[in-house]
Amino acid sequence: MTATTNRTTSQSNADLASTAHLINRIGDQLASQLSLVSLDGTRRPTPPAPALVLVAHGSRDPRALATVRTLMDRVRAQRPGLSVRLGHIELNEPLLPDTLAALGDRDAVLVPLLLSRGYHVKRDIPEMAAESPVRARVAAPLGPHPLLVETLHARLAEAGWRTPADAEARRTGAVVLAAAGSRDPESGIDTGRTAHLLAERLGVPVVPAYATTAAPTVPDALAALASRGRTRVAVASCFTAPGRFATECARAAPWIASAPLGTHPAMARLVLHRYDEAMATPDATRERSLATA
């Protein structure tokens, strides 16, 4: 009898706990819905999504600014209603501090149009954000990522690249991934990872090389490949937009050189992916208040 009573009591307690949990869930849902309604019964306006600020480096080449503006238009077309702004680290207007000042104290996600980690991503951009009233998160740079590799592959195909059809062609084929270069070792790690992903896609070796600061240079990488019998070598331009570095690297190509990444549709998708990623994982981003920590 006692065991039966205990089982009955335990079941009753479980039922009460389950009911209480259900009531709490209903209450939470009602509170959430009521928060959208003002005291006069009208629906409160939905707060705007944080602005997306594209952060470009800046260039004296006028093609760079035109490319970035076109990419911004593609991002807007893929996410209608999202406020998309542009700010430059240097050389071009609007400069990033001016763009942030115009946003006031709004929330914003800053998406660097840079292809690896480095000083600009780690210091310049967070410090500019910290000096503004914007409640800012800094997203990850665009690379490495499969969408970046998709764009690199597409640009190579446009330039005439075809996947080697036989073993002999694979033995003589290779690609030099031409990037800007940085003293930050993490930048080299990111570029190396992009090269690895591209090599998996192409089926031939992909060697990272740099326009400045880091080694090897593009001519040195090409010479090293030639000494190993790699005579059919393409240069993949790992630059967001046309400019001096992209032009110099392309001139060094012994065969074909791809165009900068520019306004390829995958680049707009990648920008929005970095925005969404920063929104979903705020702890992984650098907020304005933590920028100088």
Side-chain angles (χ1 to χ4, degrees), residues 4-292:
T4 302
T5 301
N6 288 340
R7 284 197 297 271
T8 302
T9 301
S10 297
Q11 184 63 47
S12 298
N13 289 339
D15 291 343
L16 287 172
S18 178
T19 301
H21 177 68
L22 179 60
I23 290 172
N24 286 335
R25 286 187 60 187
I26 293 173
D28 290 343
Q29 291 172 0
L30 285 173
S32 177
Q33 293 298 316
L34 287 172
S35 69
L36 301 176
V37 181
S38 61
L39 293 176
D40 61 4
T42 59
R43 187 175 181 84
R44 297 180 191 273
T46 303
L52 189 164
V53 179
L54 294 172
V55 184
H57 182 276
S59 172
R60 292 184 176 86
D61 190 320
R63 296 174 298 169
L65 179 57
T67 298
V68 171
R69 290 193 180 281
T70 301
L71 177 59
M72 183 168 60
D73 290 340
R74 288 187 179 274
V75 172
R76 285 172 172 155
Q78 290 192 21
R79 189 73 60 87
L82 178 64
S83 175
V84 182
R85 310 291 182 93
L86 173 63
H88 293 88
I89 296 170
E90 59 181 357
L91 299 176
N92 292 120
E93 294 183 350
L95 292 171
L96 180 58
D98 296 332
T99 298
L100 296 179
L103 286 169
D105 62 353
R106 282 190 58 181
D107 292 324
V109 175
L110 280 54
V111 180
L113 294 181
L114 302 170
L115 305 174
S116 64
R117 291 169 291 178
Y119 188 83
H120 292 314
V121 173
K122 293 180 178 180
R123 299 294 300 178
D124 281 343
I125 297 172
E127 287 176 359
M128 290 180 190
E131 292 171 0
S132 79
V134 169
R135 296 189 297 273
R137 303 172 187 174
V138 180
L142 300 184
H145 194 273
L147 285 170
L148 177 60
V149 173
E150 179 180 331
T151 309
L152 287 164
H153 180 266
R155 292 297 189 223
L156 281 168
E158 291 168 0
W161 174 268
R162 297 295 179 267
T163 300
D166 53 54
E168 178 60 29
R170 284 192 294 274
R171 279 194 292 271
T172 59
V175 169
V176 168
L177 182 67
S182 169
R183 292 184 179 89
D184 190 319
E186 289 187 323
S187 176
I189 291 170
D190 289 346
T191 305
R193 177 61 179 158
T194 298
H196 176 74
L197 292 172
L198 185 59
E200 290 182 336
R201 182 77 177 263
L202 299 177
V204 299
V206 176
V207 177
Y210 304 96
T212 184
T213 307
T217 65
V218 171
D220 287 347
L222 290 167
L225 286 167
S227 71
R228 301 202 299 268
R230 301 283 176 174
T231 57
R232 194 170 177 81
V233 182
V235 172
S237 182
C238 196
F239 300 98
T240 305
R244 179 169 64 90
F245 288 161
T247 300
E248 290 175 354
C249 291
R251 285 175 181 163
W255 177 37
I256 60 172
S258 64
L261 305 167
T263 60
H264 190 278
M267 291 293 285
R269 298 203 307 272
L270 180 51
V271 166
L272 288 168
H273 170 76
R274 291 304 193 205
Y275 172 88
D276 293 337
E277 185 179 61
M279 289 290 294
T281 56
D283 290 342
T285 63
R286 187 169 300 182
E287 303 238 6
R288 178 177 66 86
S289 61
L290 301 178
T292 57

